[in-house]
Amino acid sequence: MTVTINGKAQEIHSGERLIDLINRCGIEVPHVCYHPQLGPIQSCDTCMVEVDGKLARACGTMAADGMNVVTSSTRADAAQREAFDRILGNHMLYCTVCDNNNGDCTIHNTTKMLHVEHQEIPYKPKPYEVDMSNPFYRYDPDQCILCGRCVQACQTLEVNETLSIRWEDEHPRVLWDGGAPIGESSCVSCGHCVTVCPCNALMEKSMLGEAGYMTDLPKSALDGMIDVVKGIEPEMGYGSIMQVSEVESHMRESRTKKTKTVCTYCGVGRSFDVWTKDRHILKVEPLEGPANGVSTCIKGKFSWGHINSPDRLTKPLIREGNQFREASWGEALSLVARRFTEIKAATGPDSLAFISSSKCTNEESYLMQKLARAVIDTNNMDNCSRYCQAPATTGLFRTVGYGGDSGSITDIEKAGLVVIVGSNTAESHPVIATRVKRAHKMHGQKLIVSDLRENEMAERADVFLHPRPGTDLIWLSAVTKYIIDNGLADQKFIDQWVNGAPEYKRSLESFTLEMASERCGLPIETLTKVAHMIAEAKGVCVLWAMGVTQHSMGSDTSTAISNLLLATGNYMKPGTGAYPLRGHNNVQGASDHGAMPNFFPGYQEVADPVIRAKFEKAWNVQLPPKPGLDNHMMIDAIHEGKLKSMYVFGEEMSLVDSNANFVGDALSKLDFFVMQEIFFSETCRFADVVLPASPSLEKDGTFTSTERRIQRLYQALEPLGESRPDWIIIQDIANQLGAGWKYEHPSQIYDEIAALTPLFAGVTYERLEGYKTLQWPVAEDGSDQPLLYTKNFDFPDGKARFYPVPWSEPTDQQDAQYDLHLNNGRLLEHFHEGNMTYRTEGIREKTPCTFIEVSPELASERGIQTGSWLQLTSRYGKVRAQAEVTTRVAGKELYMPMNSTDEAVNRLTSSHTDKVTHTPAYKETSVQLKVLGETGDDPLPRTNSRHGHPTPQTGVEVERKWKRKDYRLPGDHLVQIQTR
Ligand code: SF4
Ligand code: SF4
Ligand code: SF4
Ligand code: FES
């Protein structure tokens, strides 16, 4: 199929927009409001072209076979200019003193493209003040061209539904919650709007006065300069003025560094460029992230205060009594090596243990496990996936073979139905949530949510299930049984691809809808509806997280999810599959790269003599054959006097492990404890040596995201002070112990990983250059697998397996004394306990502390109001925090976010674990509640987005603009003149 553009035939892609085709062909046509990731907004009219003799917007027109398009006829050119002239009526060109003059400003570049010399419609300011009330970005109505990109992004991509333009107003502007100050609106500071704004109307505050050479002048001086420029414009024209700003823009290139990195927070794997000027972070610019496109959340876009925090550790510290003193690297490293050697000699290698960081790189996890295994001679090696993700991995190992997401985020977008179980996706994995919210709002995707809290995804769901705590396995199994019993299963898929169907079917006998209804507290009709929705959907993706895995049945419930997907044939096709949402940025990668007690990299068993022999040959050592201790077992082993020494990096173990008081007691018993951190964390208090490490922006390496996507991060900044990247420190310690490692760059470490690990055989730094990524398994020729199971499942016969799972009662149950259920999880603004995010002032301002969510019914029963101070006591500890009375929780269920080091929720959680993986049953906690009699302010300040009032609409609703009396399609006038 072809379109003729300016007389030349051009082939079109199916479903291609005319503007995309024109751009692909390298033909210059202005298009100010169009953004490929937002779709056509059609508000600016600058993309007018002639299509078969008539003027049309190229962004709003689909390319069709036989079309004849002229982009630069007199009519088209005049229409484009008229449209752009209207834009300049809303925007003052003061590029030389503008922080947005970085070569990528759409208005500036369009002015150049159209060779604009003078504007016809004079610039008129709008009668509104600049809004500076958000800590991270500002809105300047006087520079706003009303293109609506921001509104479209907020309404249809982020789907926070904060922004609108009231086109009927005399002087329209962008509105937050219909007219609130930004800082008091429902804006979650995700930054989508700022990223897509084509000019300086929305700008990161970190850019203001910093990006340009002359932009930090006092306002009076700036205004004076702008007046001078305006004064000479009629005589000189914009062309010459622009030349000056071009020079200034080029000068910026020499001092603005743009470095591709990968987000250091959750497992979504957002890629973006970070712009730095010396150590100042100008902004985070997401443009073409393979997982995220332009999307970010408040943390990835704005929470970088930890990088230059004055609290950063910059020198090694050595304990002296109850104090720490600064030490040289030489002294600290030789002390570590001496004590490790002494302890190994006295009590054996298995009296030492190692914990790798899910925040650090794949290469660093690989080196840590190599240090444990090849240098110390122990498999006592783990990472924090033990605290969250190990049960999901087990569920997938049991049923489909690989412990990873079975597709990509694009599959989640494509699914006919998304089922979310035990995941507060909008807060814990915000960018994945945007894809589900968008598909649900814009493309008719259905959504079922099962959760104890009516979180944002639950509010949006077509069906919200609120089962009793710890009973997800029951309703999942009952729905699967109903589907099978009623002939709704995908029998063809089962026959061809799944083993064990008869045994599995028998195992479901007790899971009737009646039993599920009684145990879960869910109506039978709802369960039946859910079963039909799943069976009839065109593609089902199930997303789950810690609400499933952090239970004593975490592995079994994860298995039940996979069983349901197998029974309904929801594997092996785009838009289907199992998606355990990985918590940390590199929790998938840490396990993938061998930071586990029983696996070398790529899940190769340490107990397998053939595998071991391969590593022994490569590393030139004898390796221990017996799987080591996981991190739960390590704590018990310390209490039992068997484990004497630990080396932990990038892990706030004393607070994020369950039953924190018990863990703290254990850590204080260690003979020698090495912590490697970027801050002096709570866990550092127990250490004997603290080594200063570098965060993600100060090192090279790779992370692996939840969708098994391996991505490179590049060093943007030099390590602060004497801090060092973790891989260098681990190598230094290994070499102090005589290892003789000689890695000069993480790429050399990856070459070794790839050579030893079939799962990553074809991974090279070259293949991952820039924004290029690979989703494992990666074959030697570099081919990867975005969709995991296309030809077979990962078992010897290529078939999946139904895996029967029984249900058992949750642990730490309520009784007369501990009568309330306590749930816990993340808050959007903070990552976990907040060690990094509290270092960003704006985040601290919006979410200064943790709190306890109390249902209105419980609040009225116990005389609690928002702000009341409460004490929660469990069988394991106590915390104090203020109440937040909210309908997000119901009845006798409480919820406490994790963002506190002082009143950490894990002082309340138990040492009960998932039976298979030892993942703590964090979500099975009973407490008693005492009202302390004092009441303070709402723990969520007025500026918190949760107090806002969103204004949902379908998008920018440009039709309302077109209905304005003063609106006329550009070019119409000209056509009439010509006609006459
Ligand atoms: S936003 Fe762009 S066009 Fe406007 S003044 Fe700044 S650089 Fe110039
Ligand atoms: S939520 Fe706030 S930052 Fe995000 S797109 Fe909407 S207005 Fe912009
Ligand atoms: S603030 Fe919004 S409407 Fe105004 S120019 Fe920026 S993206 Fe366009
Ligand atoms: S780019 Fe087509 S109307 Fe704005």
Side-chain angles (χ1 to χ4, degrees), residues 464-731:
F464 169 43
L465 305 172
H466 177 172
R468 290 201 181 99
T471 62
D472 281 317
L473 185 149
I474 299 178
W475 76 257
L476 285 160
S477 300
V479 161
T480 314
K481 174 177 165 58
Y482 177 90
I483 287 173
I484 294 174
D485 290 352
N486 288 279
L488 301 170
D490 188 339
Q491 201 54 50
K492 201 168 148 227
F493 180 86
I494 295 171
D495 292 344
Q496 188 179 355
W497 289 112
V498 197
N499 288 324
E503 302 86 320
Y504 176 59
K505 195 173 168 200
R506 275 197 298 281
S507 78
L508 291 177
E509 259 162 34
S510 62
F511 290 99
T512 60
L513 290 186
E514 291 71 22
M515 176 268 208
S517 172
E518 195 192 315
R519 292 281 177 103
C520 306
L522 298 169
I524 289 182
E525 307 73 59
T526 310
L527 293 171
T528 314
K529 182 174 177 186
V530 166
H532 280 277
M533 282 174 76
I534 292 173
E536 289 153 21
K538 283 209 173 71
V540 179
C541 289
V542 183
L543 281 46
W544 75 101
M546 296 187 282
V548 167
T549 57
Q550 293 180 338
H551 278 279
S552 52
M553 283 155 293
S555 293
D556 289 347
T557 307
S558 301
T559 309
I561 289 171
S562 193
N563 284 335
L564 170 60
L565 288 165
L566 287 172
T568 49
N570 278 301
Y571 275 112
M572 302 186 108
K573 286 178 291 210
T576 65
Y579 298 82
L581 302 178
R582 308 303 191 178
H584 284 268
N585 55 319
N586 201 36
V587 71
Q588 179 74 48
S591 296
D592 291 350
H593 292 80
M596 296 187 84
N598 51 340
F599 292 123
F600 291 114
Y603 304 98
Q604 302 176 84
E605 306 233 10
V606 296
D608 183 329
V610 178
I611 300 286
R612 222 169 40 248
K614 175 172 73 172
F615 281 88
E616 285 174 342
K617 188 166 167 224
W619 294 345
N620 198 22
V621 287
Q622 284 282 304
L623 290 169
K626 213 172 90 218
L629 302 175
D630 60 42
N631 49 20
H632 176 77
M633 295 155 95
M634 289 174 196
I635 296 300
D636 285 343
I638 301 170
H639 279 298
E640 290 158 12
K642 293 179 192 155
L643 193 64
K644 305 289 184 190
S645 180
M646 280 179 96
Y647 174 16
V648 176
F649 78 106
E651 176 71 50
E652 181 62 299
M653 189 170 184
S654 71
L655 293 181
V656 302
D657 198 352
S658 196
N659 199 352
N661 295 333
F662 182 71
V663 174
D665 285 350
L667 297 178
S668 62
K669 288 181 186 168
L670 284 167
D671 287 352
F672 186 64
F673 182 24
V674 181
M675 273 299 294
Q676 190 165 303
E677 257 301 352
I678 56 173
F679 298 113
F680 193 85
S681 65
E682 286 299 307
T683 310
C684 289
R685 293 182 197 288
F686 299 96
D688 296 288
V689 175
V690 179
L691 303 173
S694 306
S696 61
L697 292 190
E698 295 176 5
K699 59 188 167 191
D700 284 348
T702 59
F703 289 155
T704 306
S705 73
T706 189
E707 47 176 1
R708 299 170 281 106
R709 191 184 293 280
I710 309 169
Q711 314 191 78
R712 271 180 79 174
L713 51 145
Y714 292 80
Q715 183 178 348
L717 303 168
E718 286 302 313
L720 187 69
E722 291 181 28
S723 68
R724 293 179 181 176
D726 295 87
W727 68 270
I728 292 182
I729 307 174
I730 299 166
Q731 169 159 265

Side-chain angles (χ1 to χ4, degrees), residues 191-379:
H192 282 74
C193 54
V194 187
T195 298
V196 299
C197 181
C199 60
N200 63 347
L202 285 167
M203 280 206 77
E204 298 84 355
K205 284 185 172 175
S206 49
M207 288 280 281
L208 299 178
E210 292 282 352
Y213 278 88
M214 287 183 285
T215 54
D216 62 346
L217 298 175
K219 189 171 180 319
S220 54
L222 276 182
D223 288 347
M225 286 179 71
I226 292 167
D227 287 344
V228 170
V229 172
K230 283 280 139 194
I232 56 174
E233 182 255 315
E235 208 173 306
M236 293 187 65
Y238 281 125
S240 341
I241 298 171
M242 286 284 179
Q243 277 174 13
V244 179
S245 58
E246 294 281 301
V247 171
E248 198 268 352
S249 171
H250 285 304
M251 280 165 62
R252 292 184 192 190
E253 284 166 19
S254 62
R255 69 169 191 185
T256 304
K257 188 174 166 197
K258 299 174 185 174
T259 313
K260 187 256 175 173
T261 189
V262 180
C263 187
T264 184
Y265 290 107
C266 79
V268 172
R270 289 162 289 192
S271 288
F272 37 72
D273 279 5
V274 59
W275 290 24
T276 49
K277 188 181 87 179
D278 302 324
R279 285 198 71 89
H280 176 73
I281 295 171
L282 286 165
K283 69 166 167 174
V284 155
E285 182 78 346
L287 291 173
E288 46 175 325
N292 58 306
V294 294
S295 293
T296 43
C297 79
I298 181 171
K299 299 185 289 293
K301 177 82 179 169
F302 296 117
S303 183
W304 295 92
H306 62 283
I307 298 291
N308 290 317
S309 162
D311 304 341
R312 277 279 305 276
L313 289 170
T314 53
K315 275 180 179 294
L317 302 174
I318 291 178
R319 174 181 289 280
E320 272 187 2
N322 288 331
Q323 308 277 323
F324 285 87
R325 67 166 170 85
E326 289 184 350
S328 69
W329 271 105
E331 185 188 5
L333 291 172
S334 41
L335 174 62
V336 171
R338 178 169 62 77
R339 293 294 287 128
F340 280 177
T341 309
E342 286 167 3
I343 291 166
K344 184 176 161 183
T347 43
D350 287 338
S351 62
L352 290 99
F354 298 78
I355 292 186
S356 189
S357 174
S358 300
K359 284 256 152 286
C360 295
T361 64
N362 290 325
E363 294 77 1
E364 289 164 343
S365 273
Y366 175 82
L367 285 197
M368 190 67 159
Q369 60 90 40
K370 185 173 173 181
L371 171 69
R373 295 187 161 116
V375 182
I376 302 290
D377 196 24
T378 181
N379 284 315

Side-chain angles (χ1 to χ4, degrees), residues 83-222:
F84 192 64
D85 202 52
R86 290 179 195 171
I87 284 177
L88 293 183
N90 270 316
H91 185 89
M92 191 188 275
L93 291 174
Y94 52 71
C95 310
T96 312
V97 290
C98 174
D99 285 301
N100 204 40
N101 185 34
N102 303 300
D104 58 357
C105 173
T106 309
I107 308 290
H108 180 100
N109 295 346
T110 310
T111 309
K112 246 177 32 179
M113 180 200 289
L114 292 175
H115 305 289
V116 176
E117 282 296 329
H118 301 289
Q119 65 189 90
E120 296 290 320
I121 302 171
Y123 164 74
K124 254 211 318 253
K126 300 181 190 72
Y128 308 112
E129 296 293 309
V130 175
D131 190 333
M132 298 289 284
S133 61
N134 181 286
F136 306 110
Y137 70 94
R138 70 100 211 261
Y139 172 59
D140 182 353
D142 280 347
Q143 290 296 88
C144 173
I145 59 164
L146 295 166
C147 67
R149 277 193 191 187
C150 56
V151 177
Q152 199 76 2
C154 190
Q155 292 283 348
T156 70
L157 185 57
E158 156 68 9
V159 198
N160 203 57
E161 302 172 322
T162 299
L163 297 185
S164 62
I165 295 175
R166 202 156 43 223
W167 291 110
E168 297 74 18
D169 285 354
E170 189 185 351
H171 301 286
R173 52 159 282 172
V174 176
L175 300 169
W176 278 251
D177 286 3
I182 305 175
E184 291 173 28
S185 73
S186 60
C187 168
V188 293
S189 304
C190 65
H192 282 74
C193 54
V194 187
T195 298
V196 299
C197 181
C199 60
N200 63 347
L202 285 167
M203 280 206 77
E204 298 84 355
K205 284 185 172 175
S206 49
M207 288 280 281
L208 299 178
E210 292 282 352
Y213 278 88
M214 287 183 285
T215 54
D216 62 346
L217 298 175
K219 189 171 180 319
S220 54
L222 276 182

